[in-house]
Amino acid sequence: MPTPSMEDYLERIYRLIDEKGYARVSDIAEGLDVHPSSVTKMIQKLDKDNYLIYEKYRGLVLTHKGKRMGKRLVDRHHLLESFLQMIGVQEENIYRDVEGIEHHLSRDSITCIESLVEYFNRDVTRGDELRRIRAELDNE
């Protein structure tokens, strides 16, 4: 099971490869706001744990396991963003809040949030009702 830090790296690597076709140490470091030496150490650990294949000076490639985990992490991130938007969290807080909670939720909690998001998506009036209730509570 990857650590929260490993998950951050895998998510970033997956996104870079999806967007650019490759992931360089410098791009990973910039995206995670860490030193390149930290990226190299983590890449070596992810290689050892079979999430990716890393060859010094040649780059890296996600393994099937790494791609599967990266996609799951990106999907989880999008789900939590959607959930927070849906319940009315202010846009400027969403990214930071997702980063703060995404590693601390169980699979069960993620599945329940996914069901709740689907529940609201199936009938937009439910979201309207939620916003009405929130406005009432804000005015109390």
Side-chain angles (χ1 to χ4, degrees):
M1 193 69 161
T3 65
S5 181
M6 291 168 74
E7 288 183 347
D8 286 340
Y9 279 85
L10 282 168
E11 182 180 350
R12 184 69 189 138
I13 291 166
Y14 183 88
R15 285 179 187 265
L16 284 167
I17 291 173
D18 189 51
E19 293 164 9
K20 299 169 96 176
Y22 60 89
R24 297 182 313 196
V25 168
S26 59
D27 295 328
I28 299 165
E30 181 182 323
L32 295 175
D33 197 25
V34 297
H35 292 286
S37 60
S38 299
V39 174
T40 300
K41 286 178 190 171
M42 181 58 79
I43 285 174
Q44 290 167 344
K45 180 163 181 40
L46 293 169
D47 184 13
K48 181 177 156 278
D49 291 348
N50 299 313
Y51 288 104
L52 55 82
I53 299 167
Y54 174 66
E55 293 181 34
K56 196 171 184 176
Y57 307 116
R58 298 194 55 139
L60 59 93
V61 177
L62 288 171
T63 62
H64 177 70
K65 177 182 175 181
K67 287 178 187 172
R68 195 174 65 241
M69 178 61 73
K71 180 171 179 358
R72 185 175 73 77
L73 295 169
V74 168
D75 290 348
R76 176 182 72 184
H77 194 99
H78 287 309
L79 171 69
L80 293 172
E81 284 180 345
S82 296
F83 173 66
L84 294 180
Q85 287 170 339
M86 187 172 287
I87 62 172
V89 173
Q90 293 179 16
E91 200 65 38
E92 63 268 15
N93 296 326
I94 290 176
Y95 181 80
R96 186 185 68 244
D97 288 353
V98 169
E99 288 297 312
I101 65 173
E102 67 183 335
H103 302 296
H104 303 288
L105 294 173
S106 67
R107 192 80 176 114
D108 182 45
S109 292
I110 295 292
T111 300
C112 290
I113 290 170
E114 186 175 30
S115 299
L116 186 61
V117 167
E118 182 61 25
Y119 171 80
F120 279 97
N121 284 336
R122 287 186 183 187
D123 183 349
V124 294
T125 62
R126 294 171 179 153
D128 296 338
E129 178 68 10
L130 179 63
R131 284 183 283 285
R132 186 189 62 71
I133 291 169
R134 180 167 179 196
E136 284 176 13
L137 293 173
D138 285 347
N139 290 327
E140 288 182 357

